[in-house]
Amino acid sequence: MISLLRARKIFPLSILSLVVLFFLWWLGNRTWYLVETRLVRVEWLEEDKVSRTITTSGWLIKEEQLLPSPGRGQLRLLVSDGQRVRAGGAVAEILLADNGNDGRKMVVYAPRGGVFCNHIDGLEKVLRPGNALEMEAVEKLGAKSASPGTGNRVEKGEPVGKLVDNLSGIWYWCRVPREEAGAGRWSSGQPVVVLWQGRQMRARLEKITGEEMLFLLSVYPGDLVHQRQVQLELVTGEVAGFLVPPRAVVERDGQPGIYVISRRRATWVPVQVLGETSGRVVISGQSLSTRTRYVTNPFWVREGDRLE
């Protein structure tokens, strides 16, 4: 009799527990659905052609001449950094500080025309056109930056700036990844399109030795004159595909893919990553088209989730 009473008490509690669990399950799913519908972003695939590039890091070699101070004293620049000057033009003056010369000034003149630059790195006499150098040796040497300006004290013979010949072009000396350098598509005299900070320039491959290449930039942005170590992208061709944000690509067992909307359900499909440009990944896939909708932020998505 006592066991029967206990069973009658436990049975309603079990039913109540099941109801509570079902309600919590339903509430969780409902909450997740609301999160998905509010946070998940869905867009149409966009097709485009983008440049296939190789990112390289190297050194700029210029026709440049150091302008030494004629004496010890206080420097006063007469031209601004990056200003073009004519041959014989005054670029700086030194207020001499030697005994007996107080108040006397000496002027620094430009020996030829060019662009005045006060970015001194100590490599002006090393990185010169025609020098046979090894990049590893130059990298060990390194650059020692200095920018003498008005009011600075300078010693006799110390550079107050330099002149860069802006008419003879700039050479770009870089090391190309081994797998790219040995691709067999490079040859001396070959025209190449290069990119610097998104700006396009035309260059000519002057020399190739193993992984090291030397390019001549005949026309370039003016602020490139002040640079020494830069990163340039070599354009090797074009690739057509669909542009998606990098976060849209999700890997499964090492295979990249994206979530597309198929019959109102999120479905992961494999893709091939062709490259990346301007913060977008270029992909291709057999089932993809401009009529395909995909999830741009798959963090909130699971396989089979219902999405409108």
Side-chain angles (χ1 to χ4, degrees):
M1 185 68 177
I2 295 176
S3 298
L4 183 60
L5 290 174
R6 286 180 178 176
R8 288 178 178 176
K9 292 180 180 179
I10 292 173
F11 182 72
L13 290 176
S14 300
I15 295 296
L16 180 61
S17 299
L18 291 174
V19 171
V20 171
L21 289 174
F22 175 80
F23 175 75
L24 292 175
W25 173 83
W26 177 86
L27 183 62
N29 278 272
R30 185 61 182 173
T31 302
W32 180 257
Y33 174 77
L34 292 175
V35 168
E36 283 184 328
T37 54
R38 290 181 178 274
L39 297 181
V40 174
R41 296 290 178 264
V42 178
E43 294 183 6
W44 298 95
L45 283 177
E46 297 179 6
E47 192 172 17
D48 200 356
K49 289 184 178 180
V50 297
S51 298
R52 186 191 294 274
T53 62
I54 303 172
T55 301
T56 62
S57 179
W59 303 76
L60 293 178
I61 302 174
K62 299 159 274 188
E63 288 280 5
E64 49 194 350
Q65 181 177 354
L66 293 173
L67 304 176
S69 171
R72 177 176 177 268
Q74 189 177 51
L75 171 66
R76 176 173 173 247
L77 294 178
L78 303 178
V79 295
S80 57
D81 186 39
Q83 182 176 333
R84 294 185 181 184
V85 296
R86 295 181 178 180
V91 297
E93 62 182 17
I94 309 298
L95 179 62
L96 298 178
D98 294 336
N99 292 333
N101 289 322
D102 291 343
R104 193 163 72 92
K105 298 178 182 179
M106 298 189 72
V107 180
V108 181
Y109 296 98
R112 56 183 173 82
V115 175
F116 176 79
C117 178
N118 73 331
H119 297 284
I120 311 297
D121 57 23
L123 297 176
E124 287 79 11
K125 295 182 179 180
V126 177
L127 291 176
R128 298 189 60 81
N131 278 10
L133 301 170
E134 292 184 359
M135 186 169 291
E136 186 176 351
V138 175
E139 289 172 342
K140 288 181 179 179
L141 192 62
K144 300 175 183 178
S145 179
S147 299
T150 296
N152 290 161
R153 305 287 292 187
V154 294
E155 299 294 329
K156 183 177 181 179
E158 181 181 345
V160 300
K162 61 185 177 183
L163 278 180
V164 180
D165 185 353
N166 59 304
L167 300 179
S168 61
I170 288 181
W171 287 262
Y172 176 58
W173 184 32
C174 66
R175 184 183 290 116
V176 177
R178 183 180 300 275
E179 61 275 12
E180 298 291 346
R185 60 170 173 265
W186 304 104
S187 60
S188 297
Q190 173 182 345
V192 181
V193 175
V194 299
L195 302 174
W196 180 60
Q197 297 180 350
R199 287 178 278 186
Q200 189 178 101
M201 298 172 285
R202 295 193 176 276
R204 184 176 72 241
L205 177 57
E206 296 289 295
K207 183 179 179 181
I208 175 170
T209 306
E211 296 181 15
E212 295 182 10
M213 295 185 183
L214 181 66
F215 296 90
L216 174 61
L217 309 175
S218 299
V219 181
Y220 50 87
D223 46 350
L224 201 61
V225 167
H226 305 296
Q227 306 296 321
R228 181 66 78 185
Q229 283 186 279
V230 295
Q231 281 193 338
L232 297 184
E233 295 178 86
L234 309 181
V235 179
T236 60
E238 284 189 335
V239 59
F242 300 97
L243 302 182
V244 300
R247 64 178 181 175
V249 180
V250 179
E251 285 196 3
R252 283 189 178 181
D253 299 325
Q255 169 67 52
I258 61 172
Y259 280 98
V260 301
I261 310 303
S262 177
R263 298 180 180 179
R264 298 185 179 180
R265 298 285 180 180
T267 304
W268 182 89
V269 296
V271 299
Q272 181 182 3
V273 177
L274 304 178
E276 185 173 351
T277 180
S278 303
R280 290 273 180 166
V281 175
V282 186
I283 64 171
S284 65
Q286 293 183 349
S287 59
L288 304 182
S289 72
T290 54
R291 296 188 298 273
T292 302
R293 297 169 67 216
Y294 75 102
V295 179
T296 64
N297 55 342
F299 175 80
W300 301 103
V301 174
R302 300 171 299 185
E303 181 75 25
D305 282 346
R306 183 179 178 83
L307 297 172
E308 299 297 333

